[in-house]
Amino acid sequence: TGSAHIAAAVGTKVVTVFGRSNPVRLAPYGQSHHAIHHREKCAEVCRKFHETSPINVKQKCFALPPSCLAAITAEEVVEMCRKVVDEVL
């Protein structure tokens, strides 16, 4: 995610994909609306962990494979990239 934060800091639009991490807290500044995630698909035990864990805790998904990450499709990513390109043009 470091490269996404650097790009956002210099004004470049970025698309980020989040699994178990919280995009509201960790997405590049000003670009959380370009974050793709399905945290609503997290296993129940993971949702409780996300609600109570501090931001810098090593996060570990309790469901394998992580259902929140597996729910993201290539089509979603391509669509978000198109949306960002349209915003720039």
Side-chain angles (χ1 to χ4, degrees):
T1 62
S3 57
H5 288 279
I6 292 170
V10 297
T12 303
K13 302 276 186 188
V14 295
V15 173
T16 50
V17 176
F18 286 86
R20 61 185 179 230
S21 300
N22 186 343
V24 173
R25 295 165 69 185
L26 299 173
Y29 182 74
Q31 299 205 34
S32 62
H33 59 289
H34 294 145
I36 300 170
H37 62 93
H38 284 294
R39 288 175 61 83
E40 74 282 357
K41 305 253 185 194
C42 285
E44 181 64 29
V45 67
C46 293
R47 283 197 298 269
K48 288 181 181 177
F49 175 78
H50 294 314
E51 291 169 2
T52 60
S53 68
I55 191 167
N56 291 324
V57 165
K58 273 252 194 228
Q59 296 183 6
K60 179 180 179 184
C61 191
F62 299 102
L64 294 175
S67 51
C68 54
L69 193 54
I72 297 171
T73 66
E75 291 80 14
E76 275 183 283
V77 176
V78 169
E79 181 61 33
M80 182 62 77
C81 290
R82 285 185 178 137
K83 177 181 172 185
V84 169
V85 168
D86 288 344
E87 288 176 10
V88 173
L89 297 179

